[in-house]
Amino acid sequence: MDATRPKPTLPPGPKPLPVLGNNHSFVKDPLNFLQTLHQTYGPMATIYMTDTPSVVLFEPEHIHYVLAENPRNFTSAEFAQGLQEFTGHGLFNLDGDTHRQQRRLVQPAFHRKRVDSYADTMRQYTLEMLDSWKVGDQLALDQELQQLTMRIVAKCLFNVDLGLRNSNLGQAFTDILENQPRLLETILKLRIDLPFTDYGKRQRGKRIIDKVIYQLIAQRRQEGGDEGDFLSMLLATTEDGHGLSDTQIRDHIMTFVAAGHETSSNTLAWTFYLLGLAQNESKYATLYQELTSQLRGQAPSLGDLSKIPYTEWTINETLRLYPPAYLIGRRAREEFTLGEYTLSAGTFVLISKWVLHRRPDLWEAANEFRPERWRPENAKNIVPWSYIPFGAGPRMCIGMPFAQLEMRILLATMLQRFKFRIAPGFKMQTDPLITLRPKNGLQVILEPVS
Ligand code: HEM
């Protein structure tokens, strides 16, 4: 043994309870727990969710090291075990060479030109949703947005229209999405397939969707041709003369469904919430002014997006305050050194975007909603790696161009049709499941635009 090598050490952290470790504090209020860890222990802290220690990182350069500088030393798939029942061997559930190879294969489906071709679907479905509403309606906006982004993603992925609501397939997706594994279910690995359990409801949804997807794959393989959707791209993709199997295609499609609509719909729900707060009235006014002067009541086309930068900054700012993937997990393959600590192989690493994006020493008025901070002259002062809503490195969100396009089109189209007033007495709260959802949804009342 090399006597000069430093012995593995762990950063400080809260005392774990026997058996429970630190799970009780984490499950009770994850966001507050993470903030307190940073306030108490500084750059990193050790917690116990299992027998193996988890080191939570809060420093931009440490986070960069794990995600982008030395990503080969860190695996990720075991953090997506909860999703695996739905996503099989999609990107979330792969590591190492297999992940790199599969990512290369599916990448063409996310090329800018291909993604841009979905702008019309995004616009059209948003307009149809808006046409079904009228001034004075009170809505659960989070659910409407979820239906809309699901409808968009189903059309873009496999060219099926779920309709405005209540299709069998739509219900199957809802079954899966509304019964996401709770933290406790994930930690305790509860799997009880009964009609009334969350797991059972997800399984029922999955069986319906699987049937449809496999039928579509068989039909497309027979008929050939490019329908302009992700499925066509995945069927056409090959490496060394080998294409993807039916199961691989199904798993990739399901991964894009799982990753690709709740994240966008939740971000939009938080955006409407932030814009609806009395203290952000001037931000709403600036955004509305930009939209009406540039778009004059029309839903934006692809070419219009460069004319509405404040819309983009507004979304950037929501993603700072409410990053949907608020915690990223990795596990070290081999011993590694971060700051003054040498951490053993096998250690879990957790990256807290919730804390990083709100650190008062990195962000001026960190808790305030200020889209202006994304103006290029201001954005150049942002500390590198202090903002990573889409992650970083080789596992960075592959769907980012899709999400950015979709969120801008939906926001710009919706805000020109109605003013969204938060229902009186309604309180928005965070609900950190796998992604950062608004707890109790978002109740709004539709008002005419001025
Ligand atoms: C606001 C919207 C979105 C946010 C904030 C977001 C965020 C993220 C983040 C942070 C990661 C990296 C996780 C990690 O490093 O472990 C990720 C990965 C991923 N995202 Fe997104 N995402 C969004 C939308 C989408 C969309 C629309 C799609 C697909 C249509 C998508 C597909 C994926 C996939 C497949 C991965 C796994 C990539 C890999 O492991 O190589 N995401 N996303």
Side-chain angles (χ1 to χ4, degrees), residues 283 317 320-321 356-374 377-379 381-383 386:
K283 317 292 177 196
E317 184 65 347
R320 182 181 71 81
L321 287 170
L356 179 71
H357 286 186
R358 289 172 178 250
R359 271 183 56 168
D361 53 332
L362 300 179
W363 301 92
E364 199 189 314
N367 289 323
E368 276 177 33
F369 176 64
R370 290 189 179 176
E372 295 72 19
R373 65 173 100 235
W374 298 99
E377 62 271 30
N378 300 332
N381 299 324
I382 289 171
V383 176
S386 62

Side-chain angles (χ1 to χ4, degrees), residues 67 76 91-94 99 103 110 153 157 230 252 255-257 259-261 263-265 267 319 323-325 328-330 353 388-392 394-400 402-404 406-407:
L67 295 181
S76 155
L91 290 183
F92 282 129
N93 308 93
L94 301 173
H99 172 264
R103 180 149 174 149
F110 291 93
V153 95
L157 286 174
F230 278 77
H252 286 309
T255 300
F256 303 150
V257 170
H261 91 292
T263 37
S264 307
S265 69
T267 304
L319 284 168
I328 294 183
R330 295 288 189 266
K353 276 185 248 177
I388 48 162
F390 292 98
R395 300 199 82 114
M396 185 171 177
C397 180
I398 200 169
M400 184 173 82
F402 185 95
Q404 287 178 328
E406 177 178 51
M407 292 189 293

Side-chain angles (χ1 to χ4, degrees), residues 297-367:
Q298 298 300 307
S301 66
L302 202 59
D304 289 326
L305 293 177
S306 59
K307 297 188 224 149
I308 51 170
Y310 199 85
T311 311
E312 186 184 340
W313 304 338
T314 300
I315 293 164
N316 289 351
E317 184 65 347
T318 307
L319 284 168
R320 182 181 71 81
L321 287 170
Y322 295 99
Y326 68 100
L327 200 61
I328 294 183
R330 295 288 189 266
R331 187 170 180 136
R333 286 181 203 270
E334 289 173 15
E335 189 177 281
F336 67 106
T337 300
L338 266 191
E340 59 187 287
Y341 300 101
T342 300
L343 301 162
S344 309
T347 306
F348 289 119
V349 176
L350 297 175
I351 290 164
S352 171
K353 276 185 248 177
W354 175 261
V355 173
L356 179 71
H357 286 186
R358 289 172 178 250
R359 271 183 56 168
D361 53 332
L362 300 179
W363 301 92
E364 199 189 314
N367 289 323

Side-chain angles (χ1 to χ4, degrees), residues 100-117:
R100 274 190 289 282
Q101 186 233 12
Q102 290 293 309
R103 180 149 174 149
R104 225 178 19 245
L105 277 169
V106 302
Q107 191 72 60
F110 291 93
H111 282 166
R112 181 114 251 159
K113 253 194 155 147
R114 190 79 181 185
V115 168
D116 284 351
S117 73

Side-chain angles (χ1 to χ4, degrees), residues 394-445:
R395 300 199 82 114
M396 185 171 177
C397 180
I398 200 169
M400 184 173 82
F402 185 95
Q404 287 178 328
L405 179 71
E406 177 178 51
M407 292 189 293
R408 281 183 293 167
I409 291 183
L410 270 56
L411 187 63
T413 308
M414 290 170 71
L415 284 176
Q416 289 187 90
R417 185 73 72 87
F418 296 106
K419 183 155 192 199
F420 295 81
R421 189 156 64 84
I422 301 171
F426 180 77
K427 262 212 149 34
M428 190 96 158
Q429 285 172 13
T430 47
D431 186 12
L433 291 160
I434 295 174
T435 59
L436 202 57
R437 272 185 173 188
K439 194 174 187 166
N440 314 321
L442 172 61
Q443 287 289 325
V444 295
I445 296 174

